[in-house]
Amino acid sequence: MLKHESIETNAVLLIVLTLVAISIGGLVEIVPLFYIEGTIEDVKRADGKDAVRPYTPLEQVGRDIYIREGCYNCHSQMIRPFRDEALRYGHYSLAAESQYDHPFQWGSKRTGPDLARVGGKYSSSWHVKHLNKPKSVVPESIMPNYPWLLKTDLDFSDVQAKMKTLKKVGVPYSQTKEEYAANVEQFGEDVAKMLDVNHAESNLMAQEKAKNFDGIPDRITEMDALVAYLQVLGTMIDFSKHDETEFIEFR
Amino acid sequence: MADQDGKKIKDPLTGVETTGHVWDDNIREFDNPLPRWWLWAFYMSVIFTLWYWVVYPAWPSGLLEKGYTLGTKTITYDSDAGETKTTHWNTRALLAHQMQTNKSELIRQKMVKEIAETPFDTIAADPQQSKFVLAYGKSIFGDYCAACHQRGGQGVIGHYPNLIDDAWLWGSDVSDIETSIRKGRKGNMPAHKGSLTADEIEQAAHYVLSLSKQSSDVVAIEKGKAIFNTKGCSGCHMPTAMGMKALGSANLTDHIWTQADVNGTDDAGKKLAAVKQVITEGIQREMPAWESRLKDDEIKILVSYIKLLSQN
């Protein structure tokens, strides 16, 4: 029988067996990734287009601020299929809903509440007050203040570069006419326009002007971008239009 | 290996074999076996793993329809369309199954349905139902409404209305409150810094305060009254200054203040400044529409909860 002593005193054998052990662990994590296509739900809107879309330029820049400020340290974006979470947060998160997230914001360690469906839950002006000074609206909150978001003008000079980078990892932003046409096919024209890298800056400014998330009409602040991102979270799928079976059968 | 004699002698005191290493002539290392209980626990966990691999979905495989083994357990649940379905074990089906069979979940659903079908007056008169509404409504209110209106529904002066006082901007009927929640509200008072001079704003403020007997500057009040009636204030707040439900304009004659913090100070100057601030800058505030977010029965419970809160 192979004794520990014979492994410990034979460097070659030790290296070979260590590699075998590590490979098993690696395979268990890597092999399932080749079957990931089948785990992302195919959710369509009533008009037959994809319900989940990539973020608009403004939302994407807001998402980068979310990550920069470390919001993920306290907030997850993953509602698990448990009764208590269904009652509190709403429908459990689908894989499809984070398919364009790089990196995704899943997690189960929460200091603050889960944000997967925070979009539309509060008014934008509430978000502005809350991010600026959480205790002003939620006295018992332990969330820190983020006063610089309102003071700092949004730097979106690199928004095209960001979108091109995300495109490289599979987010369908469009640069050519063919890619644009494919997006029209997949998401519909209104969404496809927002995903066009060539018009990223004007799209960003137009969305800010239309919604004016921060309540300041003549400036585009970091607050605008972050609130735009928060307000879209979890809102892309209208669950009342889907039979639960549809999602169960994806498992 | 000069310090190794290779002899695995037994320690005379404990009877345990040593590894054969010797340091400093006489220091040897015990070669204790793993504790027997630990070893058995290890073997049992290996056996458990093998069982688990078979019973639960675990192994990926391109050869299978789903791309992985399905396990041996199944779950039965009803689809939204009312069809009974059976599927391999997975957490989504498990949730659907629990929402349809769990004992406390069924009680919850029964109570919620009961509340949804009962008129508010009956709920208020029924101790069990109103107790349920107060407990259940508290959690919905805490999650969706308290962010603005605060835990107790007291609101924030200058920002979010108080829901537990007797004043209602948009009406106090069950149907009014329901509309406020379903459709949301947009409160809008224009800023008057462009249309009124500083003196006029001050005079109007005196008049507004005099309505609740908090100003005695007779001359300013008289001038302010004229401004109130001719420069647009009475259009929304009505000539009586009692407000109008359709516009959500405030009643200025009571002692309830939701924007200017008049009650928060005894100083006449500060009271005046607070009212002037509101007239100057106007008010823009919004209650979001909840229709697409909350279920009908949740809205019913919320309306009843808020009504019960404001009555208590």
Side-chain angles (χ1 to χ4, degrees):
Chain A
M1 200 180 149
L2 202 58
K3 282 247 172 199
H4 262 257
E5 193 184 341
S6 45
I7 300 171
E8 285 165 3
T9 52
N10 186 337
V12 177
L13 189 60
L14 183 66
I15 287 170
V16 170
L17 290 176
T18 307
L19 281 175
V20 169
I22 291 173
S23 307
I24 292 171
L27 283 172
V28 166
E29 294 197 341
I30 293 163
V31 169
L33 296 178
F34 289 100
Y35 300 93
I36 206 161
E37 282 303 314
T39 68
I40 296 177
E41 305 85 355
D42 184 21
V43 191
K44 300 287 188 204
R45 299 192 309 234
D47 61 3
K49 305 293 184 191
D50 273 16
V52 180
R53 58 162 175 80
Y55 297 111
T56 66
L58 185 64
E59 291 158 8
Q60 181 55 47
V61 177
R63 190 174 194 277
D64 289 341
I65 293 171
Y66 182 93
I67 292 169
R68 180 192 78 192
E69 300 297 351
C71 305
Y72 55 82
N73 280 313
C74 294
H75 297 283
S76 58
Q77 289 183 21
M78 183 177 79
I79 303 167
R80 295 169 288 181
F82 302 153
R83 264 172 60 218
D84 60 323
E85 299 213 359
L87 291 176
R88 174 167 181 189
Y89 295 117
H91 198 280
Y92 55 79
S93 297
L94 300 181
E97 289 180 288
S98 47
Q99 62 181 312
Y100 301 122
D101 283 9
H102 296 279
F104 59 76
Q105 297 293 314
W106 308 335
S108 55
K109 183 262 163 196
R110 299 169 185 151
T111 301
D114 187 272
L115 298 181
R117 302 214 181 281
V118 80
K121 190 169 181 178
Y122 310 114
S123 66
S124 296
S125 68
W126 180 87
H127 276 298
V128 174
K129 287 192 191 91
H130 182 253
L131 286 162
N132 205 40
K133 192 180 173 198
K135 282 192 181 66
S136 70
V137 283
V138 186
E140 63 271 29
S141 175
I142 57 162
M143 180 168 141
N145 301 342
Y146 294 86
W148 53 86
L149 295 174
L150 263 183
K151 291 177 195 151
T152 317
D153 284 329
L154 185 69
D155 174 13
F156 54 95
S157 56
D158 55 357
V159 64
Q160 289 205 9
K162 282 176 174 173
M163 291 166 86
K164 285 176 196 160
T165 310
L166 286 165
K167 196 174 158 227
K168 285 195 178 135
V169 291
V171 182
Y173 289 120
S174 66
Q175 286 177 280
T176 65
K177 273 189 178 149
E178 292 73 37
E179 287 165 352
Y180 176 79
N183 276 351
V184 173
E185 182 64 29
Q186 192 179 355
F187 300 108
E189 199 175 350
D190 291 343
V191 173
K193 277 182 188 160
M194 297 302 278
L195 305 182
D196 189 342
V197 176
N198 304 313
H199 299 107
E201 285 93 352
S202 59
N203 280 336
L204 184 149
M205 289 188 281
Q207 191 185 0
E208 191 277 339
K209 204 172 167 58
K211 295 282 180 66
N212 188 21
F213 296 95
D214 64 358
I216 306 171
D218 48 355
R219 283 173 60 208
I220 304 180
T221 61
E222 292 188 335
M223 185 69 90
D224 272 312
L226 182 55
V227 174
Y229 170 63
L230 291 173
Q231 290 290 41
V232 80
L233 286 179
T235 61
M236 292 181 191
I237 299 174
D238 182 355
F239 284 96
S240 66
K241 302 275 194 297
H242 295 270
D243 193 309
E244 200 49 44
T245 314
E246 205 183 308
F247 306 121
I248 294 174
E249 284 175 351
F250 257 91
R251 280 291 168 272
Chain B
M1 300 284 180
D3 58 350
Q4 185 174 346
D5 62 7
K7 273 186 222 152
K8 300 183 176 184
I9 60 162
K10 276 191 179 161
D11 175 61
L13 287 175
T14 57
V16 175
E17 200 172 65
T18 61
T19 58
H21 289 268
V22 183
W23 290 270
D24 291 346
D25 291 341
N26 59 356
I27 300 175
R28 288 167 183 272
E29 185 187 8
F30 280 154
D31 191 13
N32 275 313
L34 289 162
R36 201 40 69 84
W37 67 266
W38 188 95
L39 211 56
W40 276 110
F42 177 69
Y43 293 145
M44 292 306 287
S45 65
V46 171
I47 292 166
F48 171 80
T49 309
L50 292 170
W51 173 81
Y52 199 85
W53 272 343
V54 175
V55 175
Y56 284 89
W59 284 93
S61 164
L63 301 171
L64 295 168
E65 189 201 338
K66 282 276 185 186
Y68 51 85
T69 57
L70 298 181
T72 58
K73 300 190 85 172
T74 58
I75 293 179
T76 303
Y77 66 96
D78 293 334
S79 74
D80 294 352
E83 222 176 311
T84 303
K85 302 236 174 198
T86 302
T87 177
H88 66 279
W89 189 94
N90 67 79
T91 50
R92 292 181 177 185
L94 184 65
L95 175 68
H97 175 76
Q98 285 180 344
M99 293 301 259
Q100 290 157 6
T101 56
N102 180 278
K103 200 176 147 203
S104 49
E105 173 60 23
L106 290 178
I107 296 173
R108 185 192 71 84
Q109 287 173 10
K110 182 176 152 279
M111 282 303 286
V112 167
K113 189 161 176 274
E114 196 178 305
I115 299 293
E117 288 164 355
T118 312
F120 172 74
D121 291 337
T122 317
I123 296 170
D126 183 317
Q128 202 204 347
Q129 287 188 341
S130 49
K131 200 176 155 196
F132 178 80
V133 164
L134 282 174
Y136 198 85
K138 191 177 178 182
S139 68
I140 308 179
F141 190 88
D143 199 22
Y144 291 95
C145 316
C148 291
H149 295 290
Q150 309 294 295
R151 286 242 150 236
Q154 74 274 27
V156 179
I157 290 245
H159 298 298
Y160 309 113
N162 183 326
L163 301 178
I164 50 176
D165 57 16
D166 292 331
W168 293 88
L169 293 168
W170 302 93
S172 63
D173 292 347
V174 170
S175 62
D176 291 330
I177 299 174
E178 187 178 330
T179 309
S180 296
I181 296 174
R182 276 190 188 282
K183 307 284 180 195
R185 298 286 190 189
K186 279 198 165 61
N188 176 24
M189 165 165 164
H192 289 82
K193 55 190 167 193
S195 56
L196 297 177
T197 66
D199 285 347
E200 286 174 324
I201 288 175
E202 174 137 354
Q203 288 152 0
H206 272 292
Y207 174 66
V208 169
L209 281 169
S210 76
L211 295 168
S212 52
K213 304 195 171 47
Q214 300 192 75
S215 171
S216 49
D217 186 335
V218 185
V219 181
I221 291 169
E222 213 36 55
K223 286 182 178 164
K225 186 175 183 179
I227 293 163
F228 187 89
N229 286 320
T230 58
K231 299 255 176 152
C233 310
S234 60
C236 294
H237 290 287
M238 309 304 288
T240 56
M242 302 273 275
M244 195 194 331
K245 200 173 88 175
L247 293 170
S249 52
N251 180 347
L252 303 174
T253 62
D254 56 18
H255 282 271
I256 292 168
W257 300 86
T258 67
Q259 283 287 332
D261 192 10
V262 171
N263 293 337
T265 172
D266 289 329
D267 181 76
K270 284 187 183 156
K271 284 180 198 273
L272 189 69
V275 177
K276 274 165 66 178
Q277 164 74 14
V278 175
I279 300 175
T280 309
E281 300 297 337
I283 298 163
Q284 304 291 331
R285 58 183 185 180
E286 183 186 355
M287 154 107 179
W290 294 96
E291 200 166 33
S292 59
R293 176 139 203 142
L294 294 172
K295 297 187 188 77
D296 286 352
D297 48 22
E298 288 176 322
I299 292 176
K300 176 66 189 284
I301 291 177
L302 262 184
V303 173
S304 312
Y305 175 76
I306 291 164
K307 272 300 257 185
L308 285 176
L309 267 194
S310 65
Q311 284 177 359
N312 286 351

